[in-house]
Amino acid sequence: MTGGSGVVVIDNGGGLLKAGFGGDKDPIAVVPNCMAKSPGGNAKKWLVADQLQADDVDVTGMTLKRPIDRGYLINTEVQREVWERVVRGLLQVDPSNSSLLLVESMFNPPALQHATDELVFEEFGFNSLCVADAPSLVHLYEASRQPTLFRAQCSLVVDCGFSFTHASPVLQNFTLNYGVKRMDLGGKALTNYLKELVSYRSLNVMDETLLIDDAKEKLCFVSLDVPGDLRLARLSFKENPFRCSYILPDGITYKKGFVKDMDEALRYCSLPLDGESDRKDLGLETNKFEDRKKAELSQNEFVLTNERFLVPEMLFHPIDLGINQAGLAECIVRAVKACHPYLQPVLFESIIVTGGSTLFPRFAERLERELRPLVPDDYQVKITRQENPILGVWRGGSILASSPDFESMCVTKSEYEEMGSTRCRRRFFH
């Protein structure tokens, strides 16, 4: 066992599971929180967690089983397999001699809490358990890393994760539950939308979840001028700054998908941020259809143009895509206005964005532009993006697990056996 304590810290995300030891700076394992099986492989051969990341694994057409749906643990059998691989295989830990700090979704229903406790104490036999929520851990990590920025001891944590997006006010390391606002949009919804767009326009990739997820992470970005970028996306082959190709694996030469030309994919970075819509976009219709034919000639690649910025646009204007929800900026404003008026100006200037969906280029700049018209003029808007939005929650958990008060926050296995799950869970209320 490595690390400064005997505490296992698990950030049990819907997309990625992060696991390591309290006191360490980074987790030992950052692996897919799922099981997968190849379409033509052995029916009993399921790949778990880190096995999906091996270089010789072809992820084409894989069937996925995820333990978490819409942010909540609903399949404990799959979760048991993933934890078994991570805890005993990668961390090489004996749970009976270890405590567990588990990051759990907010507002988890009691029945699912009970199932989680059974998994922790009865299946794995951990010595003790502490349950924490993501926003308080993000605030703890940022406050310890940049104490001068968070002197007021409060912040608004915007967590754009795999299953959902939360805007959560945090005061003195406690999440103010009455102010939390949720959008049912996250990385999974963005990947599904990209699958639909690519399948409609070029190749059928509805079964290629892992490949399209990779393409989304490498090629999508947030637009600062959507109407202007849509006009640019209509330009011909050579003049279109957004056009790029993603190569699908062929199972022989290469088993992972990749971007055909990364320099081509990054051409949009050289565009001016404003006034870019004055380029000519007329007289090029003849080339447009010719380009579409070229893209269809190769059966193992697909071309992206305006999809690259229309997919992340879901987070800011979901109503444009027929999703009856408020956008991210409106969600943040509602969360702040649910708090005491004295806290509101401080929260607007202490916004922390975390989660994998905030890694899109220009995400913070676009969010600030969307927020500014909705915030009173005499309030400042300041957005801090974590240095690593994927690991931020886990790092906060590592700090908490190495604190002197950690043991007093835990429920021991003997307490669980004596009092049951419901009474033990009251210790984690605030």
Side-chain angles (χ1 to χ4, degrees):
M1 182 185 297
T2 62
S5 68
V7 182
V8 175
V9 181
I10 295 180
D11 177 10
N12 203 45
L16 291 175
L17 181 148
K18 287 75 70 177
F21 297 102
D24 288 356
K25 184 180 185 298
D26 290 320
I28 292 174
V30 181
V31 298
N33 193 5
C34 65
M35 298 169 58
K37 182 180 68 171
S38 297
N42 188 340
K44 296 182 179 179
K45 180 63 175 177
W46 286 86
L47 300 177
V48 183
D50 64 301
Q51 295 173 338
L52 286 165
Q53 298 171 320
D55 293 335
D56 60 343
V57 172
D58 185 357
V59 298
T60 305
M62 279 193 162
T63 302
L64 296 182
K65 280 186 182 179
R66 297 190 187 274
I68 293 179
D69 184 39
R70 301 180 189 180
Y72 299 114
L73 176 59
I74 60 166
N75 192 330
T76 54
E77 293 181 4
V78 175
Q79 193 66 81
R80 184 190 307 114
E81 294 292 332
V82 176
W83 281 10
E84 188 75 33
R85 175 73 184 174
V86 171
V87 174
R88 301 189 195 274
L90 302 180
L91 302 187
Q92 298 182 348
V93 166
D94 180 9
S96 61
N97 297 325
S98 305
S99 299
L100 174 64
L101 171 59
L102 180 64
V103 182
E104 194 176 72
S105 297
M106 291 182 290
F107 312 121
N108 204 13
L112 301 185
Q113 293 177 0
H114 181 66
T116 302
D117 293 343
E118 282 187 353
L119 188 62
V120 170
F121 288 119
E122 298 179 21
E123 299 282 348
F124 282 87
F126 276 99
N127 190 34
S128 60
L129 168 68
C130 178
V131 174
D133 59 72
S136 61
L137 296 181
V138 169
H139 174 86
L140 175 63
Y141 176 68
E142 289 300 320
S144 64
R145 193 171 72 92
Q146 307 179 77
T148 56
L149 290 180
F150 301 99
R151 279 184 230 164
Q153 298 186 6
C154 71
S155 63
L156 184 83
V157 177
V158 180
D159 184 1
C160 297
F162 178 78
S163 305
F164 50 69
T165 297
H166 276 136
S168 311
V170 181
L171 177 63
Q172 296 180 343
N173 288 336
F174 287 102
T175 303
L176 305 179
N177 288 342
Y178 58 83
V180 176
K181 303 300 176 186
R182 167 171 166 152
M183 292 171 57
D184 291 321
L185 285 173
K188 183 179 180 180
L190 301 188
T191 300
N192 289 339
Y193 182 45
L194 182 56
K195 283 197 295 185
E196 290 178 9
L197 290 177
V198 174
S199 297
Y200 178 74
R201 297 181 182 183
S202 52
L203 299 172
N204 182 7
V205 292
M206 292 305 293
D207 295 330
E208 308 296 348
T209 301
L210 297 178
L211 288 171
I212 299 301
D213 213 33
D214 181 62
K216 178 196 70 177
E217 293 168 4
K218 291 177 179 175
L219 295 175
C220 287
F221 65 93
V222 173
S223 172
L224 299 180
D225 177 17
V226 176
D229 285 345
L230 282 171
R231 284 191 287 271
L232 286 173
R234 294 171 56 195
L235 294 174
S236 63
F237 174 72
K238 291 183 179 179
E239 295 179 345
N240 190 330
F242 308 123
R243 194 181 197 280
C244 62
S245 298
Y246 186 85
I247 307 296
L248 299 171
D250 60 5
I252 302 172
T253 309
Y254 34 81
K255 297 192 175 183
K256 303 290 183 184
F258 61 92
V259 179
K260 187 174 184 178
D261 186 349
M262 189 55 77
D263 291 335
E264 178 187 51
L266 295 176
R267 279 186 301 169
Y268 76 91
C269 295
S270 61
L271 292 173
L273 297 183
D274 294 303
E276 58 200 346
S277 60
D278 56 353
R279 296 190 182 190
K280 59 177 183 177
D281 59 355
L282 300 174
L284 297 164
E285 298 299 316
T286 55
N287 292 330
K288 186 168 67 171
F289 296 106
E290 184 181 344
D291 291 339
R292 287 187 179 274
K293 291 179 183 177
K294 287 181 183 177
E296 291 170 1
L297 290 176
S298 175
Q299 294 301 314
N300 69 329
E301 73 177 88
F302 58 83
V303 174
L304 296 180
T305 52
N306 59 10
E307 299 94 341
R308 297 179 64 188
F309 57 86
L310 289 179
V311 169
E313 190 67 17
M314 282 182 73
L315 294 171
F316 298 97
H317 294 287
I319 194 68
D320 292 347
L321 300 165
I323 301 173
N324 191 21
Q325 291 191 48
L328 184 56
E330 292 89 343
C331 184
I332 290 173
V333 170
R334 290 179 184 180
V336 172
K337 288 188 175 179
C339 299
H340 194 282
Y342 290 170
L343 286 178
Q344 292 178 13
V346 187
L347 290 172
F348 277 125
E349 63 183 38
S350 307
I351 298 173
I352 307 171
V353 293
T354 187
S357 297
T358 66
L359 286 170
F360 292 122
R362 303 176 179 173
F363 179 91
E365 295 92 325
R366 172 65 184 279
L367 180 58
E368 187 170 348
R369 289 191 183 193
E370 295 277 330
L371 268 177
R372 187 64 268 181
L374 305 177
V375 177
D377 293 339
D378 53 339
Y379 289 1
Q380 290 186 351
V381 174
K382 184 172 182 181
I383 299 174
T384 302
R385 198 185 86 172
Q386 292 201 287
E387 57 179 350
N388 191 327
I390 292 178
L391 302 184
V393 174
W394 187 92
R395 287 172 173 171
S398 179
I399 293 173
L400 180 62
S402 58
S403 66
D405 301 328
F406 177 73
E407 288 300 326
S408 64
M409 305 176 191
C410 293
V411 168
T412 65
K413 186 178 181 182
S414 59
E415 289 175 329
Y416 167 78
E417 292 171 344
E418 179 183 346
M419 298 186 294
S421 175
T422 305
R423 290 179 62 187
C424 288
R425 280 281 174 158
R426 293 175 186 169
R427 186 170 302 182
F428 307 133
F429 291 170
H430 54 263

